[in-house]
Structures are given as C-alpha cells and as structure tokens.
C-alpha cells in the first residue's frame, strides 16, 4: 500500500477525473519522481490501489444492499448492486474512455490488485452461502467466482474491450442462469 499522502493525492486526482501522472503527482507532493516510484512502485500499482479502494467500498455497499437474501438470490443481488455501482462511477468511466488499455490491464489482470481480490471476495460470499446450506453450486466456489467475475468484466467494460455498450442487465441474466438450481 502506498503512503497515505500519495494515496490520497492519487485518489483525489482519479475522482476529479484527472490523469494520475507520476511527474505532476511528485511535484504536487514536493518530492522527486524517483522517490515517488520508490514509495509506490509503478503507476499501475498506484492506480491498482486506488481502484481496489473504490472497488472494496462498492463491494461492501453491494453486500449491505443484499442483506436479508439467501443463496443464489443473494449472490446475484450482490453482483448486480456491485456492477451497477461500478458502471455508475463517473471517474471509472472517464478512465476507461481515456486510457482503455491501462484501465483493462489494471482492472482485469490476474496479476493485478483488483481482479484477484474481487474473485476472492465473491468466493467468500459463495462459501458463506454454501456453509449456510443456502447454495449448492455445480462448480467449486473458486472456479465459479472467477467465471462470474470475467462475465461481469466482459459486459461492464464492453466499451473498452469491443466497442460495445456496457450492459449490466445482460450480465446479470447470464450470471443468474449460471447460478440457477
């Protein structure tokens, strides 16, 4: 995790829909660029932390909004709330439109910060439903979580991946079919 001052400055820039540029960020913080890189790693790593922070907040909100539901219904509700929240985030939409290659690399790489944590979160959610006796998936939870995340990414980032339009509702239809009994 980058130091708080660097993280907060990068987060502000991202939310303000300004490019998180390491040269200007270092100047803003009153440090050299080399020092900034030593403290944070690469720009992708710094943006990965910013995007994970926003993603984690969105995941927590999605889980709260699905309280009272059980099984596949709860899982689909969490995923739906999450995908709609991500899709409605202006700063992320701006990042996807202005830097699609970087955005996809940071958001969807299995070696990145964001995707593995989203998969782990979804796996944990499914595991809790399995242990509660409310969900009996046809695949192991880890594989299913990965597949569901990739489906969500495909529809959510369709504008950056294939010049399509993001379609959260279509993603939820596919996901719902995969989770049916």
């Amino acid at each position: 995790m980058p130091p708080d001052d660097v993280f907060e400055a990068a987060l502000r820039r991202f939310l303000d829909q300004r490019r998180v540029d390491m040269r200007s960020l270092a100047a803003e913080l009153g440090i050299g660029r080399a020092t900034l890189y030593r403290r944070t790693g690469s720009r992708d790593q710094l943006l990965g932390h910013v995007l994970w922070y926003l993603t984690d907040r969105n995941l927590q909100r999605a889980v709260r909004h699905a309280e009272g539901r059980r099984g596949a219904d709860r899982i689909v509700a969490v995923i739906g709330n999450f995908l709609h929240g991500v899709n409605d985030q202006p700063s992320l939409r701006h990042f996807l439109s202005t830097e699609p290659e970087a955005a996809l690399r940071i958001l969807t790489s299995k070696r990145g910060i964001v995707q593995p944590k989203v998969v782990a979160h979804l796996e944990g959610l499914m595991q809790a439903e399995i242990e509660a006796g409310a969900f009996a998936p046809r695949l192991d939870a880890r594989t299913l979580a990965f597949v569901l995340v990739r489906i969500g990414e495909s529809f959510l980032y369709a504008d950056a991946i294939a010049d399509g339009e993001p379609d959260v509702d279509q993603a939820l239809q596919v996901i719902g079919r995969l989770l049916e009994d």
Side-chain angles (χ1 to χ4, degrees):
M1 185 72 176
D4 288 347
D5 60 334
V6 175
F7 175 80
E8 289 168 13
L11 177 62
R12 254 191 328 274
R13 283 174 175 264
F14 186 83
L15 292 174
D16 291 344
Q17 299 180 22
R18 294 186 297 148
R19 188 172 196 283
V20 178
D21 174 76
M22 299 299 267
R23 181 184 314 268
S24 61
L25 188 59
E28 177 184 325
L29 295 167
I31 59 176
R33 226 174 62 187
T35 301
L36 178 62
Y37 278 99
R38 258 194 321 277
R39 292 174 71 192
T40 65
S42 70
R43 177 178 184 262
D44 280 8
Q45 289 171 310
L46 178 57
L47 280 167
H49 287 290
V50 167
L51 288 166
W52 170 246
Y53 170 79
L54 295 171
T55 299
D56 188 45
R57 280 190 353 186
N58 195 20
L59 281 169
Q60 291 174 27
R61 182 194 54 77
V63 168
R64 282 192 307 275
H65 281 104
E67 283 182 17
R69 297 179 182 215
R70 294 177 34 91
D73 182 51
R74 180 171 184 237
I75 295 164
V76 172
V78 168
I79 293 170
N81 287 324
F82 173 73
L83 291 176
H84 280 292
V86 170
N87 194 47
D88 294 341
Q89 194 174 66
S91 54
L92 180 63
R93 285 281 135 218
H94 176 77
F95 184 45
L96 283 161
S97 70
T98 59
E99 297 185 64
E101 294 85 10
L104 290 175
R105 183 177 60 246
I106 295 165
L107 289 165
T108 66
S109 172
K110 68 179 181 177
R111 289 180 217 55
I113 296 169
V114 179
Q115 188 198 70
K117 289 186 176 192
V118 173
V119 170
H121 185 276
L122 186 54
E123 179 184 5
L125 175 68
M126 286 191 288
Q127 203 58 48
E129 293 302 307
I130 291 166
E131 290 169 10
F135 181 57
R138 289 174 257 169
L139 297 170
D140 66 280
R142 179 104 182 119
T143 301
L144 186 55
F146 177 77
V147 168
L148 297 181
V149 167
R150 293 302 279 183
I151 289 169
E153 290 170 346
S154 296
F155 285 95
L156 186 62
Y157 307 138
D159 50 344
I161 293 171
D163 289 331
E165 289 297 316
D167 192 342
V168 171
D169 294 330
Q170 185 68 36
L172 291 174
Q173 284 182 2
V174 172
I175 289 167
R177 295 294 303 261
L178 287 171
L179 298 178
E180 285 177 351
D181 290 335

